[in-house]
Amino acid sequence: MDHRPAENFFMRNATAVALASLTVVMLMAALVFWRQASGSQEARRWLVHTYGVRSHIDALYNGLAEIQLSHRGYLLTGNADYLEPYREALRDGRKLTAGNISLPQHRSVRQELAAIRALTADNPIQQANLDDMDNLVATFLAYTDEGVRARRGQAGTAVSV
């Protein structure tokens, strides 16, 4: 009588089962890494986009600050050289296209607003905020224009700011 234990399927094919299991685990790991890499790329793209929008907002803020300083300088001194940042702010922003908004260059306030509008075109809430910002900037520019006109009408006395 033969007392050899009965061989089962797994014992006879242990190498094949181990290789098949290892292959399945490796494919699942590859799928997880692939999905993680694509998610990471998407997150990186949004991060770069956010920093781009923020840099344009910073440039807009700096442009408005320059206008305010030049406006005050002109009102106090009457020296028209102080109005250069003010004149730069009045340049037309319609020539700015989506293709050249990321180029690092000096832009007017209106061009920065146009760049921010182009970069946030996919977000209706940000577009509504930009509508409000456009109105506030227009009001500010009207105020500074009124001050410049009033100063030009005076002979040499300083206008209160």
Side-chain angles (χ1 to χ4, degrees):
M1 187 163 161
D2 193 13
H3 290 342
R4 289 181 14 199
E7 291 186 30
N8 65 17
F9 174 78
F10 291 109
M11 293 303 285
R12 283 181 293 175
N13 300 308
T15 305
V17 169
L19 285 176
S21 299
L22 185 60
T23 302
V24 168
V25 168
M26 293 300 283
L27 287 175
M28 288 180 7
L31 177 65
V32 167
F33 288 136
W34 175 74
R35 291 191 67 199
Q36 183 181 11
S38 69
S40 177
Q41 287 174 347
E42 180 70 11
R44 189 176 305 118
R45 186 181 70 81
W46 280 110
L47 183 67
V48 168
H49 174 76
T50 299
Y51 278 110
V53 172
R54 288 190 62 174
S55 70
H56 285 286
I57 291 170
D58 288 343
L60 174 64
Y61 175 79
N62 291 336
L64 291 170
E66 286 179 13
I67 291 170
Q68 185 178 24
L69 288 173
S70 67
H71 176 249
R72 287 182 178 178
Y74 176 71
L75 291 180
L76 291 172
T77 66
N79 184 349
D81 292 339
Y82 281 108
L83 291 178
E84 188 57 35
Y86 174 77
R87 289 186 195 108
E88 285 292 312
L90 298 179
R91 284 190 298 150
D92 192 6
R94 290 177 288 201
K95 296 176 186 169
L96 194 63
T97 64
N100 67 359
I101 58 176
S102 63
L103 296 175
Q105 58 190 10
H106 180 71
R107 293 189 183 91
S108 70
V109 168
R110 290 179 179 161
Q111 288 171 327
E112 286 299 342
L113 281 169
I116 296 167
R117 187 167 294 280
L119 287 171
T120 59
D122 61 338
N123 190 322
I125 294 171
Q126 290 175 345
Q127 292 292 301
N129 290 339
L130 279 172
D131 291 341
D132 294 340
M133 178 64 78
D134 283 338
N135 293 335
L136 291 171
V137 168
T139 301
F140 177 68
L141 291 177
Y143 165 76
T144 57
D145 187 51
E146 181 181 320
V148 168
R149 289 176 194 267
R151 179 67 168 114
R152 284 185 181 148
Q154 292 187 351
T157 58
V159 175
S160 65
V161 181

